[in-house]
Amino acid sequence: MKLLVCGGAGFIGSNFARLRAAAGDDVVVLDKLTYAGRPENLMGVGHRFVHGAIEDPEKAAEAMDDVDAVVNFAAETHVDRSIAEPDAFVRTHGQGTYVLLEAARVRGVRYVQVSTDEVYGSIAEGSFTEKSPLAPSSPYSATKAGADLLVSSYFDTFGLETLICRGSNNYGPNQHPEKLIPLMILNALHGDKLPVYGDGLNVRNWLFVEDFARGIGHVLEHGAPGEVYNVGGPDEETNITVVRRIIEFVGGNPDALIDYVTDRPGHDRRYSLSSEKVRGLGWEAQVHFDEGLEQTVAWYRDNPEWWEPIRSGDYRAYYERQYGTRLG
Ligand code: NAD
Ligand code: DAU
């Protein structure tokens, strides 16, 4: 297959591109290279790279030329940044998704939208199915939900072969350290405070990134056009459990390191996905949380050349804005 991977220089997109290229696909990546996009994530993948934004119709057309399918990972992905500066979220998820859908429609190219469990909002008990109503809480999840609805409209209205894949919280190598797990690993390695929002009892459904990448591949190849597929991780954990387990792997005194800080506004309490439908396509998560977390801690410990340029760059200013007053 010749595949266009939009946002392929990011965390999940690069893991997906690597997997598909290794399996023999011809991979083209379109990426704007925001603060989260890193060409080094694609080292050794063997792909064609188009530098540009998905909301730029010329770049979208150039990248989509002659492909069999497009998988759209391109997004602004951090909830805290969407609260501070929603602008880019609206543009990328709204206009960007529209431009890609139009380019796919005129070429008749199968389109996979990579989406998130956050579009369903928070669930106290049980798990979200694909039929659960959308109830997003943050500018991030609201704009992702809007993008999903636009994708579905291209199936209903134009008959474009669309698929939507909603993943739960991913973790693993190459994740930007603004996110919970890499942030806590790197702070613990440096002996810095670990800022836990609120009471630390929010629950996330953890999915190892390679499992998600395989799940998206299953949906791309075997999914029914027009359908949505949830891809959830095998384990649910509270944030404080995750943080304490990271300290066990890295070393350090939890009481000295953990700092409970002001909560995130609109913070969803619990996410949980039912993945029964995608299991019907033959997918199963292979990596449990304890094993995946240990591998992830080892990867960050062994690859300082990957994260040192991030921690010493613009990230410092972001960290100061996000945590400076919270951490006192
Ligand atoms: P990421 O932030 O690591 O990477 C995003 C990539 O998109 C970067 O390479 C960035 O440069 C690129 N990008 C951003 N805006 C762009 C634009 N306008 N045009 C072209 N490229 C652009 O993100 P991630 O964590 O790998 O997430 C990938 C996708 O998976 C997103 O759509 C996200 O909503 C979804 N998702 C993420 C998770 C998670 O836990 N990280 C879970 C479920 C779904
Ligand atoms: O559920 C899928 C989503 O998971 C994806 O769609 C998003 O792109 C991805 O960023 C992620 O969103 P979350 O908001 O769940 O991830 P984050 O890593 O920001 O936070 C995970 C949990 O940890 C959440 O309850 C907030 C909490 N947290 C986070 C940070 C960064 C803290 O307690 N302290 C922190 O410093």
Side-chain angles (χ1 to χ4, degrees):
M1 225 188 253
K2 186 167 176 186
L3 270 186
L4 171 60
V5 182
C6 300
F11 166 47
I12 308 171
S14 60
N15 275 283
F16 177 79
R18 185 173 303 284
L19 186 88
R20 299 302 303 203
D25 285 337
D26 189 358
V27 172
V28 182
V29 170
L30 170 63
D31 200 294
K32 185 177 167 185
L33 298 180
T34 66
Y35 75 94
R38 309 200 65 210
E40 51 272 57
N41 288 350
L42 290 163
M43 205 127 62
V45 167
H47 59 290
R48 180 165 86 87
F49 187 76
V50 179
H51 184 197
I54 57 167
E55 61 271 24
D56 178 341
E58 283 178 18
K59 290 288 180 185
E62 178 191 337
M64 216 179 279
D65 185 41
D66 202 28
V67 302
D68 300 304
V70 48
V71 185
N72 181 29
F73 293 86
E76 292 291 334
T77 60
H78 195 36
V79 173
D80 292 323
R81 290 190 196 249
S82 84
I83 295 166
E85 288 176 89
D87 193 71
F89 291 75
V90 176
R91 202 169 337 107
T92 294
H93 305 169
Q95 185 71 11
T97 303
Y98 157 69
V99 167
L100 288 181
L101 284 166
E102 268 300 300
R105 181 179 74 80
V106 297
R107 291 168 180 79
V109 168
R110 176 173 272 232
Y111 182 97
V112 180
Q113 178 76 355
V114 181
S115 185
T116 167
D117 58 1
E118 298 202 10
V119 297
Y120 298 117
S122 193
I123 190 164
E125 284 172 10
S127 301
F128 290 118
T129 71
E130 291 80 358
K131 290 195 163 55
S132 300
L134 303 188
S137 315
S138 70
Y140 163 70
S141 51
T143 51
K144 289 292 289 184
D148 284 8
L149 294 176
L150 192 60
V151 171
S152 296
S153 81
Y154 268 65
F155 173 76
D156 293 334
T157 310
F158 303 113
L160 179 68
E161 284 194 14
T162 64
L163 293 137
I164 297 174
C165 202
R166 296 189 178 134
S168 63
N169 277 67
N170 276 229
Y171 68 104
N174 300 99
Q175 186 171 31
H176 192 281
E178 67 194 355
K179 306 289 178 2
L180 177 79
I181 287 183
L183 185 148
M184 296 298 170
I185 294 172
L186 294 184
N187 281 19
L189 285 171
H190 289 84
D192 293 340
K193 289 279 186 192
L194 309 185
V196 174
Y197 295 164
D199 61 8
L201 296 179
N202 301 67
V203 172
R204 295 294 182 264
N205 184 183
W206 292 102
L207 175 64
F208 195 62
V209 64
E210 287 171 17
D211 277 336
F212 192 33
R214 280 190 311 101
I216 295 165
H218 273 262
V219 171
L220 165 70
E221 286 174 16
H222 310 297
E227 292 294 310
V228 175
Y229 293 88
N230 289 343
V231 182
D235 302 293
E236 292 181 19
E237 306 285 352
T238 62
N239 293 338
I240 191 64
T241 307
V242 172
V243 170
R244 286 186 179 278
R245 214 158 286 166
I246 288 171
I247 299 171
E248 279 166 30
F249 285 130
V250 174
N253 173 2
D255 296 330
L257 285 171
I258 293 170
D259 201 342
Y260 289 92
V261 300
T262 313
D263 208 351
R264 168 187 284 175
H267 195 176
D268 287 329
R269 193 63 169 169
R270 174 171 174 263
Y271 298 140
S272 179
L273 279 185
S274 158
S275 305
E276 243 177 83
K277 190 170 168 184
V278 74
R279 273 199 208 101
L281 301 181
W283 176 87
E284 197 66 61
Q286 289 177 356
V287 181
H288 272 286
F289 187 65
D290 276 347
E291 179 199 344
L293 185 62
E294 189 170 11
Q295 275 184 39
T296 305
V297 170
W299 188 86
Y300 281 91
R301 190 186 267 129
D302 295 344
N303 289 279
E305 71 290 349
W306 186 87
W307 49 259
E308 267 166 0
I310 300 178
R311 281 204 23 130
S312 57
D314 292 346
Y315 178 75
R316 282 256 66 88
Y318 161 78
Y319 194 87
E320 198 43 46
R321 281 198 306 277
Q322 181 64 22
Y323 298 99
T325 53
R326 275 177 157 147
L327 286 167

